[in-house]
Amino acid sequence: MKVHISATGIHMEADTSTPETAVPSSVPQPKDDFQEELVIRPLHSGDIYASFQFRTLWETDFMRGNKVSHYRLFPKSLGQVISKFSVRELHISFTQGYWRTMQWGQPFLPSPPGAELWVWFQDSVTDVDGTWKELTNVLSGIFCASLNFIDSTNTVQPSASFKPLGIGNVTDHSFLRYATLPREIVCTENLTPWKKLLPCGSKAGLAVLLKSEKLFHSSFHSQAVHIRPVCQDWQCKTTSWELRQTLNVVFDLHTPGQGKREWSLFKMFSRTLTEACPLASSSKIYIDITDNPQGEQFEVSPATPLLSQAMVLGDRRTFSVYDLTQQITFGTVRSLNLLIRWKSRDMLRPLLHGERYVAGYGLQTGEIHTLMYNNHPYRSFPVLLLDSVPWYLRLYIHTLTVASKGKDNKPSYIHYQPSKDRVRPHLLEMLVQLPPNSVTEVTVQFERALLKWTEYTPDPNHGFYVGSSVISSLVPSIVAMDTNSTREQPLFSSFFPCKEESSYFVRVYTEPLLVNLPTPDFSMPYNVICLTCTVVAVGYGSLYNLLTRSFQIDEPSPGLAKRIANIIRKMRGVPPL
Amino acid sequence: MGLLSDPNRRRALISLLTRLNAPICVVCYMAGVAWFMGLAFEPFTLRTYMSENAMGSTMVEERFPAGERALATGREFSAHKKKVGGMPVDWLVKTMQARGLEVFTQRFSRTLPFPDENKERYLVKGTNVYGILRAPRAPRTEALVLSAPCTPGDNNNQAVGLLLGLAQYFRNQVYWAKDIIFLVNEHDLIGMQAWLEGYHHTNTTGMDWSPLQGRGGSIQAALSLELSSDVITSLDLVLEGLNGQLPNLDLANLFYAFCQKIGVLCTIQGKLQRNDWDSVSGYSHSVQTMMLMVMKQASGRPWGDHGLFLRYHIEAATIKGINSFRQYKSDTTTIGRLLEGMYRKLNNLLERLHQSYFFYLMPSLSHFVSIGYYMPVIDYILLLICALDLWVQLATPPPRTEDGVADTEQMSSPGVLSVLTPLVISHLTGVEVAVEHFPVSETEAVVLTAIAIYTAGLALPHNTHRLLSGEGTEQGWKVLKLVAVLYLAVLLGCTALINFSLGFILALTLVPVAAFVTPHVPKILSAFILVILSPACTLLFSVFFFQELQEMPVSFIDGWMLFLSVISQGILDHSLYGSLVYPLIALLVYPCWLLFWNILFWK
């Protein structure tokens, strides 16, 4: 099969020639389902967090021999990718900005700055690296992003941090590939293909709000696509494929002075809602009013009688629900423009957060410090730290130290894969127990490599990026979690599978690093070449000559007459001339 | 090269060199000095120009409106400062938070090795407050710093006010691509050192500080603001940093460009630019400006809070507001607009500042001398020719005797010993001067001890001779002088590469010493000259000369007191910030000079 990558996406020649046998002709009962959802959460910092989730469920099997060729809600381009590359799970995110955990709390779906891609392949794949390479190139075309820069030097196989989120009990991490591109800039050209994957496009439903001029006028923007197989019912007799498209955005609410602050759908997105996506089985807006039980912090209008409770991120939260499939929601003006008026604010500390920086000065060595904060007052919990460091920072792994509260904190599990120059990055994974109310500091020293002159980027003095570390953890929960995953619940609360009742899964990304490497002065080579050539040609040769030869005064050979005279003098016994 | 490979001609050349050695040395020295003086002559220098494309043609608009409000904030700050009797930490935290910044504090403490008499401090404890303006949709990889020191008394309140005013204004702008850190540091340089060490998690000087909670990635550039009046007549740019390091010239260009654009008078070394370069007074003006820069750079101390950033490869400068009696005044709004413009351009940077020069001298703000132009000075002055002469004299074979081999061995063995001993002893003396832990804790005592050890070193020749078994030979002093001359040449050459000004000033005084000294010159007179040209006296003269250049001449007594305080400051700079000038002088330059002293008293 031959794959063409074009600006619009991919076409597969083989598909067009396949006879359409897979379509069940008798029962037209749709086996797919589409839901859309928007959560708006006023943050403690006073900013406002809007999270869109679009979920398409499809009961089909891409892996069978016969090709799936009839697509209704599920985007065909992604379906073909799944079947061609035997993908078990695919998670891709594009993020512009850094999620400020300390100000904003935990996001529903975390993602690191730049692009992140992790894929579990089916165990039928023989050449995983080759498939991965092809897959990244295809995705690069689909999402109009530079994912083709993912190669062996920034791909790792984490052993513990990235477990499959869907069904399937895979433990062989040789089928997992993980890569980040911290430098990837996310903009409208990535948003447009992302919107095209939605069944209603941006024509109807919640997606009409996704206008790039507003989405990219924010403090944080992240869009993602998650594909995984999930159970259809709680007994898991049948499985279906789930495609989740999420988009998270944080709007900056800072206004000078202490005037009246209000925010509405129209102000945020420069649109109001008029209808749900006709293809959607459910279309809802949730507004988090947990911190606002009596309406003393902010007020929402129009008010809604519908309330919903959900367990999210270890906390029981209350939401006002607006069901867009009900005509009454839109009122008499046939348009919904939610309005939030602020009154006051306070601050709450997230239980887990991390930060990272480069210590030291000079261009020879440095030290990477990763700080992990456990703000829980009395519970300690383990975290998995994943660090993927490019080869041009040569880690001195013997200098690795992990310390909490000034004491050595020995990790119970360390997986380290050393780098190979120009081939693969360092991979460091470890399981660390974070004591309650503490900061755990992981430090490791590194040496900056001198690159070959063609390996420098066009802007070498900007520095080189090191992707975010990933801290994954089961954080003790304040309330008991609901582990029944098939019960009707909002989409945003059901992404990470939850096995235990007393804790919830959190993934935290630290900031990426910008590291300066020793950089030659690229304007100089011409001068240097000229100068060195001259010096070598003129100076060195003759100087070498002078130094290695010994000079002696060469007596000029005597003339013929003198020689004869000397012979005569010798015979006479007189000293020669 | 054919000239050299022909032994006859080579011999002729060498004999010419040895014969004309003295005049050639003098001519080279003169040429070096003349070249240096020529550097300040405007037609010989280059105009400054912006090399960085990202800052060059991009247009920015300055719209900062709130100068008056900034001054009001400054007055409020001053009131709170007076009330608390130091840094009003709580007030600053609250004010910065109200302006929408993420605010953090850092506590630090430092015990000085001996009390600092100038600033009357011994145990320094303080708190830095900084707020980070997070750029929207930026991944916290790059940052810019704007700092203002919180100084005791009535100084610098306006700077803090303007900093807070700018923070408020910047917070509402959408174009930031780099985080901006607004820092108010207590105890000026010590606070700055603590903050920088905390930020980069290094500890070079043994200071205690609490770790920083918030960071903004790698800092690309920094400006430090000093402003003590509501209106100013001119802005002064300070570039000289620790160990004579300078920020990239583009930072100075940026400042100059915005001063021109906004119409603020700008100065460097407190000297305005003049247009009459062809007149004597115009020329002497630019010589003075350049000499001031040379003196400041040679001192190796940070001349503003920016000086400590340079170690971390962060381009930084201090901007000082000056209020003199000129008619033309600029208000705070204008300075705010100037800073806004500079930060917007720095915000546009795609790479670190690297396009322009890092090694330069500035005879005026619009002209500069690059390393390629000033380096020949030191090449001329260095006395490799003198060394060559000595080498030739030593290499000429002694009159051949019957057992020639044994004779040369006999001659060389005392030579090695007689050279090694003074070398070792003079360095030991240097170590003694350099050791920081004097058994005394008073400033004067420390300085006087240093001077005493220094002077005691002058008795060295006698000690050396006591150690030596035999008489010093003619050959011996020549070997010693050859070693000393080469040593000095290497030392000054390396110093000049790192800190040209220091190398130049030392070369100016030490080279004549090195050239003329032999055991055969009149002892008393030569000893006097040697002492006059010793490193300590150079420093004393520099103090007077510096005061003269700043148009603040001092009497001899004041100059002497200043000299003592300069020494104590040098020692303090070394232990507080890691300045290298004091150890360099004590460990290398002074022992080298002692070698020449030794030659003079060779017996």
Side-chain angles (χ1 to χ4, degrees):
Chain A
M1 195 189 294
K2 199 175 157 194
V3 182
H4 295 283
I5 302 172
S6 66
T8 51
I10 64 168
H11 310 281
M12 294 191 189
E13 283 178 3
D15 284 327
T16 51
S17 58
T18 320
E20 297 197 350
T21 51
V23 186
S25 49
S26 53
V27 196
Q29 184 203 0
K31 285 180 163 183
D32 46 2
D33 173 57
F34 174 69
Q35 289 173 293
E36 56 179 10
E37 187 178 289
L38 164 64
V39 192
I40 295 175
R41 184 173 184 180
L43 297 169
H44 290 286
S45 63
D47 299 315
I48 193 153
Y49 172 32
S51 172
F52 291 85
Q53 296 222 7
F54 303 91
R55 180 167 77 160
T56 314
L57 275 173
W58 190 14
E59 196 186 327
T60 184
D61 192 351
F62 289 111
M63 297 308 146
R64 280 237 188 89
N66 49 359
K67 291 283 175 232
V68 178
S69 54
H70 181 69
Y71 288 86
R72 206 175 80 97
L73 297 176
F74 204 90
K76 188 173 178 181
S77 54
L78 290 181
Q80 286 174 333
V81 165
I82 295 170
S83 59
K84 173 160 198 303
F85 299 106
S86 305
V87 172
R88 174 189 290 277
E89 256 185 44
L90 185 147
H91 302 269
I92 184 166
S93 73
F94 299 97
T95 307
Q96 185 72 2
Y98 180 72
W99 182 269
R100 305 171 196 168
T101 315
M102 280 307 272
Q103 274 76 41
W104 298 340
Q106 302 288 355
F108 298 129
L109 274 174
S111 58
E116 183 199 41
L117 173 66
W118 55 286
V119 175
W120 277 92
F121 291 99
Q122 301 281 359
D123 38 17
S124 56
V125 180
T126 46
D127 177 17
V128 180
D129 286 316
T131 318
W132 167 251
K133 179 96 196 126
E134 272 183 60
L135 175 66
T136 52
N137 280 289
V138 169
L139 290 176
S140 172
I142 293 178
F143 291 103
C144 209
S146 342
L147 296 172
N148 52 330
F149 283 108
I150 292 177
D151 54 13
S152 68
T153 60
N154 48 22
T155 304
V156 290
Q157 302 170 34
S159 65
S161 294
F162 288 89
K163 289 289 167 208
L165 293 176
I167 52 167
N169 201 5
V170 198
T171 46
D172 185 0
H173 63 266
S174 63
F175 294 104
L176 169 65
R177 291 293 179 276
Y178 173 83
T180 52
L181 295 174
R183 225 193 152 160
E184 181 72 13
I185 308 278
V186 184
C187 204
T188 47
E189 78 268 22
N190 307 106
L191 182 66
T192 314
W194 184 90
K195 280 197 291 195
K196 277 189 183 157
L197 301 175
L198 295 170
C200 289
S202 51
K203 302 282 191 301
L206 293 173
V208 296
L209 299 178
L210 303 176
K211 287 289 162 198
S212 53
E213 76 267 21
K214 283 292 182 184
L215 289 185
F216 291 103
H217 192 137
S218 56
S219 295
F220 175 82
H221 169 94
S222 167
Q223 59 188 65
V225 170
H226 302 275
I227 300 172
R228 58 176 180 177
V230 293
C231 290
Q232 190 75 312
D233 46 29
W234 69 278
Q235 285 175 318
C236 216
K237 276 181 188 153
T238 49
T239 62
S240 53
W241 283 87
E242 183 198 66
L243 164 70
R244 259 180 210 253
Q245 286 180 259
T246 62
L247 189 141
N248 294 298
V249 62
V250 176
F251 291 99
D252 184 6
L253 268 193
H254 181 80
T255 38
Q258 297 301 313
K260 176 175 79 172
R261 292 192 306 163
E262 57 176 49
W263 213 247
S264 64
L265 280 189
F266 186 78
K267 235 177 163 179
M268 278 192 277
F269 302 105
S270 73
R271 288 286 183 286
T272 55
L273 287 170
T274 50
E275 55 169 345
C277 171
L279 298 171
S281 64
S282 125
S283 176
K284 284 180 180 154
I285 297 181
Y286 294 83
I287 294 184
D288 190 335
I289 53 162
T290 317
D291 305 324
N292 189 31
Q294 267 83 50
E296 69 268 20
Q297 291 217 11
F298 53 84
E299 61 178 46
V300 182
S301 67
T304 173
L306 277 176
L307 284 182
S308 155
Q309 285 216 333
M311 238 63 70
V312 53
L313 298 167
D315 202 0
R316 190 189 306 276
R317 305 198 73 88
T318 317
F319 297 89
S320 297
V321 185
Y322 296 81
D323 191 345
L324 300 188
T325 49
Q326 305 294 317
Q327 207 39 250
I328 188 139
T329 313
F330 299 102
T332 48
V333 288
R334 303 213 159 271
S335 130
L336 177 66
N337 182 22
L338 285 171
L339 191 74
I340 296 171
R341 280 196 198 86
W342 250 265
K343 289 168 182 170
S344 70
R345 64 183 191 200
D346 65 340
M347 184 80 181
L348 198 121
R349 291 221 292 178
L351 287 184
L352 171 69
H353 89 108
E355 72 187 54
R356 194 156 68 136
Y357 60 92
V358 180
Y361 57 89
L363 287 177
Q364 197 197 351
T365 56
E367 199 170 38
I368 296 179
H369 286 239
T370 311
L371 302 177
M372 294 180 285
Y373 292 81
N374 175 3
N375 291 329
H376 201 288
Y378 51 85
R379 287 278 297 273
S380 73
F381 54 84
V383 296
L384 264 171
L385 175 72
L386 168 82
D387 243 327
S388 161
V389 180
W391 65 266
Y392 39 76
L393 303 188
R394 303 210 165 101
L395 293 186
Y396 293 153
I397 203 69
H398 70 278
T399 60
L400 178 75
T401 57
V402 185
S404 315
K405 295 182 170 172
K407 271 182 291 186
D408 210 29
N409 183 351
K410 201 165 177 294
S412 46
Y413 165 79
I414 293 190
H415 171 73
Y416 174 66
Q417 190 184 32
S419 73
K420 274 189 195 155
D421 279 6
R422 300 176 178 84
V423 176
R424 69 169 188 219
H426 303 268
L427 169 67
L428 178 62
E429 264 188 301
M430 51 187 162
L431 186 66
V432 187
Q433 186 82 16
L434 302 188
N437 203 7
S438 71
V439 190
T440 304
E441 188 166 20
V442 180
T443 59
V444 62
Q445 290 176 13
F446 64 86
E447 188 188 77
R448 298 161 207 243
L450 189 63
L451 302 187
K452 290 179 181 163
W453 70 286
T454 47
E455 286 170 344
Y456 285 97
T457 49
D459 54 349
N461 282 290
H462 177 68
F464 291 78
Y465 282 84
V466 180
S468 309
S469 323
V470 189
I471 304 166
S472 322
S473 171
L474 281 174
V475 174
S477 162
I478 296 163
V479 288
M481 297 298 282
D482 189 359
T483 50
N484 181 4
S485 58
T486 52
R487 205 177 62 92
E488 192 60 32
Q489 55 182 337
L491 296 181
F492 59 84
S493 63
S494 63
F495 185 67
F496 291 114
C498 194
K499 301 274 172 358
E500 265 180 78
E501 295 202 359
S502 61
S503 57
Y504 63 100
F505 183 80
V506 166
R507 188 167 280 156
V508 174
Y509 292 92
T510 65
E511 48 273 80
L513 302 175
L514 185 61
V515 183
N516 277 85
L517 294 186
T519 311
D521 183 353
F522 286 105
S523 67
M524 285 299 276
Y526 175 73
N527 304 349
V528 170
I529 289 168
C530 289
L531 191 73
T532 41
C533 287
T534 317
V535 167
V536 167
V538 177
Y540 178 73
S542 358
L543 200 67
Y544 184 73
N545 223 348
L546 278 179
L547 288 173
T548 50
R549 263 198 240 161
S550 67
F551 293 96
Q552 284 176 341
I553 294 173
D554 190 16
E555 295 290 333
S557 61
L560 186 68
K562 204 174 179 182
R563 256 186 279 170
I564 296 169
N566 272 343
I567 292 168
I568 296 167
R569 287 174 82 100
K570 202 177 178 182
M571 286 196 303
R572 282 170 56 200
V574 210
L577 278 174
Chain B
M1 286 292 151
L3 196 67
L4 288 179
S5 46
D6 180 351
N8 284 327
R9 272 188 275 174
R10 181 150 71 158
R11 204 176 295 145
L13 194 71
I14 287 169
S15 74
L16 189 73
L17 263 183
T18 37
R19 213 154 13 96
L20 294 180
N21 178 42
I24 289 177
C25 277
V26 171
V27 166
C28 277
Y29 184 80
M30 290 316 210
V33 175
W35 185 298
F36 179 78
M37 296 311 280
L39 292 179
F41 190 50
E42 207 177 292
F44 294 167
T45 57
L46 289 175
R47 273 197 83 82
T48 52
Y49 54 93
M50 190 76 84
S51 303
E52 176 63 60
N53 285 328
M55 295 198 309
S57 54
T58 46
M59 298 286 288
V60 293
E61 262 178 28
E62 305 84 27
R63 290 181 176 162
F64 177 70
E68 284 308 313
R69 203 189 300 161
L71 288 179
T73 320
R75 279 190 287 275
E76 206 180 325
F77 170 75
S78 146
H80 282 272
K81 188 163 80 173
K82 239 174 237 154
K83 204 164 72 188
V84 180
M87 180 111 152
V89 177
D90 296 332
W91 181 83
L92 271 173
V93 170
K94 222 179 285 165
T95 320
M96 282 189 180
Q97 263 165 359
R99 279 157 175 73
L101 308 182
E102 282 179 29
V103 190
F104 305 94
T105 55
Q106 183 203 26
R107 273 172 292 105
F108 61 90
S109 71
R110 177 80 162 99
T111 316
L112 271 54
F114 52 88
D116 180 0
E117 301 249 312
N118 290 2
K119 295 194 170 132
E120 289 172 355
R121 54 190 182 186
Y122 179 57
L123 171 64
V124 181
K125 266 188 187 167
T127 313
N128 294 325
V129 180
Y130 65 104
I132 306 180
L133 194 172
R134 296 291 183 193
R137 294 185 314 292
R140 295 195 180 176
T141 47
E142 292 173 291
L144 301 171
V145 173
L146 174 60
S147 78
C150 167
T151 43
D154 256 348
N155 288 330
N156 228 19
N157 298 327
Q158 283 83 353
V160 178
L162 184 55
L163 176 124
L164 292 170
L166 282 171
Q168 182 163 19
Y169 175 75
F170 285 1
R171 178 65 181 81
N172 297 318
Q173 308 308 315
V174 292
Y175 40 67
W176 299 114
K178 300 173 174 40
D179 291 357
I180 300 179
I181 302 175
F182 296 90
L183 167 68
V184 180
N185 54 317
E186 204 177 357
H187 299 298
D188 42 63
L189 283 168
I190 296 183
M192 188 55 96
Q193 174 82 6
W195 189 80
L196 280 168
E197 287 193 352
Y199 197 92
H200 295 96
H201 208 285
T202 54
N203 204 338
T204 45
T205 55
M207 190 181 297
D208 288 326
W209 38 257
S210 60
L212 299 191
Q213 299 290 319
R215 285 184 174 76
S218 90
I219 301 175
Q220 305 287 307
L223 288 180
S224 177
L225 191 61
E226 289 180 22
L227 206 60
S228 297
S229 56
D230 290 359
V231 288
I232 54 131
T233 50
S234 64
L235 284 177
D236 189 44
L237 181 69
V238 187
L239 298 170
E240 299 84 4
L242 187 68
N243 291 327
Q245 277 184 294
L246 299 171
N248 195 285
L249 187 57
D250 267 344
L251 198 64
N253 296 341
L254 181 69
F255 171 75
Y256 182 61
F258 268 100
C259 285
Q260 301 288 95
K261 183 178 174 189
I262 292 184
V264 181
L265 280 182
C266 52
T267 59
I268 188 161
Q269 322 299 349
K271 305 247 181 211
L272 268 180
Q273 187 163 329
R274 285 169 62 151
N275 295 323
D276 52 339
W277 55 267
D278 44 354
S279 69
V280 175
S281 65
Y283 171 69
S284 82
H285 184 81
S286 60
V287 170
Q288 279 175 19
T289 316
M290 191 174 75
M291 276 316 290
L292 269 173
M293 178 154 187
V294 168
M295 305 294 270
K296 282 187 179 177
Q297 201 189 0
S299 76
R301 55 185 320 230
W303 285 83
D305 282 353
H306 74 280
L308 299 171
F309 281 92
L310 299 171
R311 176 202 295 261
Y312 302 92
H313 193 13
I314 299 166
E315 307 315 318
T318 296
I319 295 177
K320 271 186 186 159
I322 290 172
N323 194 13
S324 64
F325 302 106
R326 284 201 194 86
Q327 288 298 313
Y328 186 78
K329 305 262 185 198
S330 309
D331 60 354
T332 318
T333 311
T334 319
I335 307 166
R337 281 173 51 215
L338 181 119
L339 287 168
E340 184 203 350
M342 288 182 74
Y343 272 88
R344 285 198 63 178
K345 284 228 174 175
L346 290 171
N347 177 55
N348 288 345
L349 277 182
L350 297 174
E351 300 181 63
R352 259 168 203 285
L353 286 173
H354 68 284
Q355 303 273 13
S356 197
Y357 295 88
F358 284 98
F359 295 93
Y360 53 87
L361 294 176
M362 296 194 95
S364 72
L365 205 44
S366 65
H367 284 82
F368 74 104
V369 182
S370 80
I371 184 166
Y373 289 87
Y374 67 59
M375 234 26 211
V377 173
I378 211 82
D379 295 341
Y380 277 127
I381 293 183
L382 286 188
L383 14 84
L384 291 170
I385 295 197
C386 182
L388 190 66
D389 170 44
L390 280 167
W391 178 249
V392 170
Q393 283 184 25
L394 282 171
T396 5
R400 203 170 276 175
T401 45
E402 293 302 302
D403 48 347
V405 186
D407 197 31
T408 36
E409 262 178 21
Q410 229 176 28
M411 286 193 64
S412 66
S413 54
V416 171
L417 189 66
S418 60
V419 171
L420 266 185
T421 325
L423 257 178
V424 169
I425 291 186
S426 48
H427 278 94
L428 283 180
T429 323
V431 169
E432 227 167 302
V433 180
V435 166
E436 285 162 39
H437 307 289
F438 295 108
V440 287
S441 61
E442 290 301 312
T443 320
E444 292 103 336
V446 170
V447 174
L448 292 177
T449 319
I451 294 177
I453 297 174
Y454 183 93
T455 327
L458 300 187
L460 178 75
H462 305 283
N463 303 334
T464 330
H465 291 306
R466 210 170 298 159
L467 276 175
L468 282 179
S469 49
E471 288 275 289
T473 56
E474 191 72 3
Q475 204 80 356
W477 75 261
K478 278 188 182 161
V479 173
L480 182 57
K481 184 168 175 187
L482 178 66
V483 169
V485 165
L486 287 178
Y487 181 16
L488 184 66
V490 170
L491 184 62
L492 293 181
C494 293
T495 310
L497 271 182
I498 299 162
N499 185 346
F500 167 78
S501 304
L502 183 60
F504 174 72
I505 290 179
L506 287 175
L508 211 58
T509 53
L510 285 178
V511 164
V513 171
F516 86 84
V517 76
T518 63
H520 307 304
V521 286
K523 284 269 179 325
I524 309 290
L525 182 65
S526 315
F528 179 68
I529 294 174
L530 217 59
V531 168
I532 289 292
L533 294 178
S534 77
C537 289
T538 311
L539 178 61
L540 184 62
F541 300 140
S542 300
V543 168
F544 283 107
F545 186 51
F546 183 69
Q547 292 297 323
E548 201 65 43
L549 282 174
Q550 285 203 314
E551 290 155 19
M552 289 187 289
V554 287
S555 68
F556 184 77
I557 298 297
D558 290 344
W560 176 255
M561 294 317 287
L562 212 54
F563 168 69
L564 296 184
S565 84
V566 164
I567 294 178
S568 74
Q569 277 301 316
I571 301 173
L572 269 184
D573 282 351
H574 170 60
S575 64
L576 289 183
Y577 319 118
S579 155
L580 290 174
V581 174
Y582 178 70
L584 176 84
I585 301 283
L587 286 175
L588 298 171
V589 178
Y590 171 62
C592 188
W593 176 84
L594 274 183
L595 288 181
F596 293 108
W597 182 256
N598 214 28
I599 292 167
L600 182 66
F601 293 100
W602 190 268
K603 284 199 187 100

